[in-house]
Coordinates of all heavy atoms in Angstrom, one line a residue:
Y243 N -21.4 36.3 77.4 CA -22.8 36.1 77.7 C -23.6 35.9 76.5 O -24.5 35.0 76.5 CB -23.3 37.3 78.5 CG -24.8 37.2 79.0 CD1 -25.1 36.3 80.0 CD2 -25.8 37.9 78.4 CE1 -26.4 36.1 80.4 CE2 -27.1 37.7 78.8 CZ -27.4 36.8 79.8 OH -28.7 36.7 80.2
Q244 N -23.2 36.6 75.4 CA -23.9 36.4 74.1 C -23.7 35.0 73.6 O -24.6 34.3 73.1 CB -23.5 37.4 73.1 CG -24.0 38.8 73.4 CD -23.4 39.8 72.4 OE1 -22.6 39.5 71.5 NE2 -23.7 41.1 72.6
L245 N -22.4 34.5 73.8 CA -22.1 33.1 73.3 C -22.9 32.1 74.2 O -23.4 31.1 73.7 CB -20.6 32.8 73.5 CG -19.7 33.5 72.5 CD1 -18.3 33.3 72.8 CD2 -20.0 33.0 71.0
L246 N -23.1 32.4 75.5 CA -23.8 31.5 76.3 C -25.3 31.5 75.9 O -25.9 30.4 75.9 CB -23.7 32.0 77.8 CG -24.1 30.9 78.9 CD1 -23.3 29.7 78.8 CD2 -24.0 31.6 80.2
E247 N -25.8 32.6 75.6 CA -27.2 32.7 75.2 C -27.4 32.0 73.8 O -28.4 31.3 73.6 CB -27.6 34.2 75.0 CG -27.9 34.9 76.3 CD -28.5 36.2 76.1 OE1 -28.1 36.9 75.1 OE2 -29.4 36.7 76.8
L248 N -26.4 32.1 72.9 CA -26.5 31.4 71.7 C -26.5 29.9 71.8 O -27.2 29.2 71.2 CB -25.3 31.8 70.8 CG -25.3 31.3 69.4 CD1 -26.5 31.6 68.6 CD2 -24.0 31.8 68.6
K249 N -25.6 29.4 72.8 CA -25.6 28.0 73.0 C -26.9 27.5 73.6 O -27.4 26.5 73.2 CB -24.5 27.8 74.1 CG -24.3 26.3 74.4 CD -23.1 26.1 75.4 CE -23.0 24.6 75.8 NZ -21.9 24.4 76.8
A250 N -27.5 28.3 74.5 CA -28.8 27.9 75.0 C -29.8 27.9 73.9 O -30.7 27.0 73.9 CB -29.2 28.9 76.2
S251 N -29.7 28.9 73.0 CA -30.7 28.9 71.9 C -30.6 27.7 71.0 O -31.6 27.1 70.6 CB -30.5 30.2 71.1 OG -31.3 30.2 69.9
I252 N -29.3 27.3 70.7 CA -29.1 26.1 69.9 C -29.7 24.9 70.6 O -30.3 24.0 70.0 CB -27.6 25.9 69.6 CG1 -27.1 27.1 68.7 CG2 -27.3 24.6 69.0 CD1 -25.6 27.1 68.6
Q253 N -29.5 24.8 71.9 CA -30.0 23.6 72.6 C -31.5 23.6 72.7 O -32.1 22.6 72.6 CB -29.4 23.7 74.1 CG -27.9 23.3 74.1 CD -27.4 23.4 75.5 OE1 -27.9 24.1 76.4 NE2 -26.2 22.8 75.7
M254 N -32.1 24.8 72.7 CA -33.6 24.9 72.7 C -34.1 24.4 71.4 O -35.1 23.8 71.3 CB -34.0 26.3 73.0 CG -33.8 26.7 74.5 SD -34.8 25.7 75.6 CE -36.5 26.3 75.1
K255 N -33.4 24.8 70.3 CA -33.9 24.4 69.0 C -33.8 22.9 68.8 O -34.6 22.3 68.0 CB -33.0 25.1 67.9 CG -33.2 26.6 67.7 CD -32.3 27.1 66.7 CE -32.4 28.6 66.5 NZ -31.5 29.2 65.5
T256 N -32.9 22.3 69.4 CA -32.7 20.8 69.2 C -33.3 20.0 70.3 O -33.1 18.8 70.3 CB -31.2 20.5 69.0 OG1 -30.5 20.9 70.2 CG2 -30.6 21.1 67.8
Q257 N -34.0 20.7 71.3 CA -34.5 20.0 72.4 C -35.8 19.2 72.0 O -36.7 19.7 71.4 CB -34.9 21.0 73.5 CG -35.4 20.4 74.8 CD -34.3 19.5 75.5 OE1 -33.1 19.9 75.4 NE2 -34.6 18.4 76.1
E258 N -35.8 17.9 72.3 CA -37.0 17.1 72.0 C -36.9 15.8 72.8 O -35.8 15.5 73.3 CB -37.1 16.8 70.6 CG -36.0 16.0 70.0 CD -36.1 15.8 68.5 OE1 -36.9 14.9 68.2 OE2 -35.4 16.5 67.8
D259 N -38.0 15.1 72.9 CA -37.9 13.9 73.7 C -37.2 12.8 72.9 O -37.4 12.7 71.7 CB -39.4 13.4 73.9 CG -40.1 14.3 74.8 OD1 -39.5 14.9 75.7 OD2 -41.4 14.3 74.7
L260 N -36.2 12.2 73.6 CA -35.4 11.2 72.9 C -35.8 9.8 73.2 O -36.2 9.5 74.3 CB -33.9 11.4 73.3 CG -33.3 12.8 73.0 CD1 -31.9 12.9 73.5 CD2 -33.3 13.1 71.5
D261 N -35.7 9.0 72.2 CA -35.7 7.5 72.4 C -34.6 6.9 71.6 O -33.8 7.6 70.9 CB -37.1 7.0 72.1 CG -37.5 7.4 70.6 OD1 -36.6 7.6 69.8 OD2 -38.7 7.4 70.4
K262 N -34.6 5.6 71.5 CA -33.5 5.0 70.8 C -33.5 5.3 69.3 O -32.4 5.4 68.7 CB -33.6 3.5 71.0 CG -33.3 3.0 72.5 CD -33.4 1.5 72.6 CE -33.1 1.1 74.0 NZ -33.2 -0.4 74.2
Q263 N -34.7 5.4 68.7 CA -34.7 5.7 67.3 C -34.4 7.1 67.0 O -34.0 7.5 65.9 CB -36.1 5.3 66.7 CG -36.5 3.9 66.7 CD -36.8 3.3 68.1 OE1 -37.2 4.1 69.0 NE2 -36.7 2.0 68.2
Q264 N -34.7 8.0 68.0 CA -34.5 9.5 67.7 C -33.1 10.0 68.0 O -32.7 11.1 67.7 CB -35.5 10.3 68.5 CG -36.9 10.1 68.0 CD -37.9 10.8 68.9 OE1 -37.8 10.8 70.1 NE2 -38.9 11.5 68.3
K265 N -32.3 9.2 68.8 CA -31.0 9.7 69.3 C -30.1 10.1 68.2 O -29.5 11.2 68.2 CB -30.4 8.6 70.1 CG -29.1 9.1 70.8 CD -28.5 8.0 71.7 CE -27.3 8.5 72.4 NZ -26.7 7.5 73.3
E266 N -29.9 9.3 67.2 CA -29.0 9.6 66.1 C -29.5 10.8 65.3 O -28.7 11.7 65.0 CB -28.9 8.4 65.1 CG -27.9 8.7 64.0 CD -27.8 7.4 63.1 OE1 -28.4 6.4 63.4 OE2 -27.1 7.6 62.0
Y267 N -30.8 10.9 65.1 CA -31.4 12.1 64.4 C -31.1 13.3 65.2 O -30.8 14.4 64.6 CB -32.9 11.9 64.1 CG -33.6 13.1 63.6 CD1 -33.4 13.4 62.2 CD2 -34.3 13.9 64.4 CE1 -34.1 14.5 61.7 CE2 -35.0 15.0 63.8 CZ -34.8 15.3 62.5 OH -35.5 16.4 62.0
F268 N -31.3 13.3 66.5 CA -31.1 14.4 67.3 C -29.7 14.9 67.2 O -29.4 16.1 67.1 CB -31.5 14.1 68.8 CG -31.0 15.1 69.8 CD1 -31.7 16.3 69.9 CD2 -29.9 14.9 70.5 CE1 -31.2 17.2 70.8 CE2 -29.4 15.8 71.4 CZ -30.1 17.0 71.6
L269 N -28.7 14.0 67.3 CA -27.3 14.4 67.3 C -27.0 15.1 65.9 O -26.3 16.1 65.9 CB -26.4 13.2 67.5 CG -26.5 12.6 68.9 CD1 -25.7 11.3 69.0 CD2 -26.0 13.6 70.0
Q270 N -27.5 14.5 64.9 CA -27.2 15.1 63.6 C -27.8 16.5 63.4 O -27.2 17.5 62.9 CB -27.8 14.2 62.4 CG -27.1 12.9 62.3 CD -27.7 12.0 61.3 OE1 -28.8 12.3 60.7 NE2 -27.1 10.9 61.0
Q271 N -29.1 16.7 64.0 CA -29.7 18.0 63.9 C -29.0 19.0 64.7 O -28.8 20.2 64.4 CB -31.2 17.9 64.4 CG -32.1 17.2 63.4 CD -32.2 18.0 62.1 OE1 -31.7 17.5 61.1 NE2 -32.8 19.1 62.1
Q272 N -28.5 18.6 65.9 CA -27.8 19.5 66.8 C -26.5 20.0 66.1 O -26.1 21.2 66.1 CB -27.5 18.8 68.1 CG -26.9 19.8 69.2 CD -26.7 19.1 70.5 OE1 -26.3 17.9 70.5 NE2 -27.0 19.7 71.6
I273 N -25.7 19.0 65.5 CA -24.5 19.4 64.8 C -24.8 20.3 63.6 O -24.1 21.3 63.4 CB -23.8 18.1 64.2 CG1 -23.3 17.3 65.4 CG2 -22.7 18.5 63.3 CD1 -22.7 15.9 65.0
K274 N -25.9 20.0 62.9 CA -26.3 20.9 61.8 C -26.6 22.3 62.3 O -26.2 23.3 61.6 CB -27.5 20.3 61.1 CG -27.9 21.1 59.8 CD -29.1 20.4 59.1 CE -29.5 21.2 57.9 NZ -30.7 20.6 57.3
T275 N -27.3 22.4 63.4 CA -27.7 23.7 63.9 C -26.5 24.5 64.3 O -26.3 25.7 64.1 CB -28.7 23.6 65.1 OG1 -29.8 22.8 64.7 CG2 -29.1 24.9 65.6
I276 N -25.5 23.8 65.0 CA -24.3 24.4 65.4 C -23.5 24.9 64.2 O -23.0 26.0 64.2 CB -23.4 23.4 66.2 CG1 -24.1 23.1 67.6 CG2 -22.0 24.0 66.5 CD1 -23.5 22.0 68.3
Q277 N -23.5 24.1 63.1 CA -22.7 24.5 61.9 C -23.4 25.7 61.3 O -22.7 26.6 60.8 CB -22.6 23.4 60.9 CG -21.9 22.1 61.4 CD -20.5 22.5 61.8 OE1 -19.9 23.4 61.3 NE2 -19.9 21.7 62.8
E278 N -24.7 25.8 61.3 CA -25.4 26.9 60.7 C -25.1 28.2 61.5 O -24.9 29.3 60.9 CB -26.9 26.7 60.7 CG -27.3 25.6 59.7 CD -28.8 25.3 59.8 OE1 -29.4 25.8 60.7 OE2 -29.3 24.5 58.9
E279 N -25.0 28.1 62.8 CA -24.7 29.3 63.6 C -23.3 29.7 63.6 O -23.0 30.9 63.5 CB -25.1 29.0 65.1 CG -26.6 28.7 65.3 CD -27.5 29.9 65.1 OE1 -26.9 31.0 65.1 OE2 -28.7 29.8 64.8
L280 N -22.4 28.7 63.5 CA -20.9 29.1 63.6 C -20.3 29.1 62.2 O -19.2 29.6 62.1 CB -20.2 28.0 64.4 CG -20.6 27.9 65.9 CD1 -19.8 26.9 66.6 CD2 -20.5 29.2 66.6
G281 N -21.0 28.6 61.2 CA -20.4 28.7 59.8 C -19.3 27.8 59.6 O -18.4 28.1 58.8
G282 N -19.1 26.7 60.3 CA -18.0 25.8 60.1 C -18.5 24.4 59.8 O -19.6 24.1 59.8
N283 N -17.6 23.5 59.6 CA -17.9 22.1 59.4 C -16.7 21.3 59.8 O -15.6 21.8 60.0 CB -18.3 21.8 57.9 CG -17.2 22.0 57.0 OD1 -16.2 21.3 57.0 ND2 -17.3 23.0 56.1
I284 N -17.0 20.0 60.0 CA -16.0 19.1 60.6 C -14.9 18.7 59.5 O -13.9 18.1 59.9 CB -16.6 17.9 61.2 CG1 -17.4 17.1 60.1 CG2 -17.5 18.3 62.3 CD1 -18.0 15.8 60.7
N285 N -15.1 19.1 58.3 CA -14.1 18.7 57.2 C -13.2 19.9 57.0 O -12.8 20.2 55.8 CB -14.9 18.3 55.9 CG -15.5 17.0 56.0 OD1 -16.0 16.6 57.1 ND2 -15.6 16.3 54.9
E286 N -12.8 20.5 58.0 CA -11.9 21.7 57.9 C -10.6 21.3 57.2 O -10.0 22.1 56.5 CB -11.7 22.3 59.3 CG -12.9 23.0 59.9 CD -12.6 23.6 61.2 OE1 -11.5 23.5 61.7 OE2 -13.6 24.2 61.8
Q287 N -10.0 20.1 57.6 CA -8.7 19.8 57.0 C -8.8 19.7 55.5 O -7.9 20.2 54.8 CB -8.3 18.4 57.6 CG -7.0 17.9 57.1 CD -5.8 18.7 57.5 OE1 -5.8 19.4 58.5 NE2 -4.8 18.7 56.7
E288 N -9.8 19.0 55.0 CA -10.0 18.8 53.5 C -10.2 20.2 52.9 O -9.6 20.4 51.8 CB -11.1 17.9 53.2 CG -11.2 17.4 51.8 CD -12.1 16.3 51.6 OE1 -12.7 15.8 52.6 OE2 -12.3 15.9 50.4
I289 N -11.0 21.0 53.5 CA -11.3 22.4 52.9 C -10.0 23.2 52.9 O -9.7 23.9 52.0 CB -12.4 23.1 53.6 CG1 -13.7 22.3 53.4 CG2 -12.5 24.5 53.2 CD1 -14.9 22.9 54.1
R290 N -9.2 23.1 54.0 CA -8.0 23.8 54.1 C -7.0 23.4 53.0 O -6.3 24.2 52.4 CB -7.3 23.6 55.5 CG -6.1 24.4 55.7 CD -5.8 24.6 57.2 NE -5.6 23.3 57.8 CZ -6.4 22.8 58.7 NH1 -7.5 23.5 59.1 NH2 -6.2 21.6 59.3
E291 N -7.0 22.1 52.7 CA -6.1 21.6 51.6 C -6.5 22.1 50.3 O -5.7 22.5 49.4 CB -6.1 20.0 51.6 CG -5.4 19.4 52.8 CD -5.6 17.9 52.8 OE1 -6.2 17.4 51.9 OE2 -5.0 17.3 53.7
L292 N -7.9 22.2 50.1 CA -8.3 22.8 48.8 C -7.9 24.2 48.7 O -7.5 24.7 47.6 CB -9.9 22.7 48.7 CG -10.4 21.2 48.5 CD1 -11.9 21.3 48.7 CD2 -10.0 20.7 47.2
K293 N -8.0 25.0 49.8 CA -7.6 26.4 49.8 C -6.1 26.5 49.4 O -5.7 27.4 48.7 CB -7.9 27.0 51.1 CG -9.4 27.3 51.4 CD -9.6 28.0 52.7 CE -11.0 28.4 53.0 NZ -11.2 29.0 54.3

Side-chain angles (χ1 to χ4, degrees):
Y243 185 69
Q244 288 174 4
L245 289 174
L246 194 62
E247 282 188 325
L248 184 58
K249 181 178 178 181
S251 173
I252 293 170
Q253 290 177 339
M254 287 297 293
K255 289 180 182 178
T256 57
Q257 184 65 38
E258 62 182 285
D259 294 332
L260 298 179
D261 54 25
K262 290 181 180 179
Q263 291 76 20
Q264 292 175 316
K265 184 176 181 180
E266 183 178 352
Y267 174 77
F268 166 77
L269 293 174
Q270 292 175 355
Q271 287 298 111
Q272 190 176 40
I273 292 173
K274 182 178 179 181
T275 306
I276 292 171
Q277 298 302 331
E278 288 175 355
E279 296 292 342
L280 298 181
N283 64 65
I284 59 176
N285 287 34
E286 292 180 358
Q287 178 66 27
E288 192 167 357
I289 293 176
R290 185 162 57 251
E291 291 176 358
L292 289 174
K293 286 182 178 179

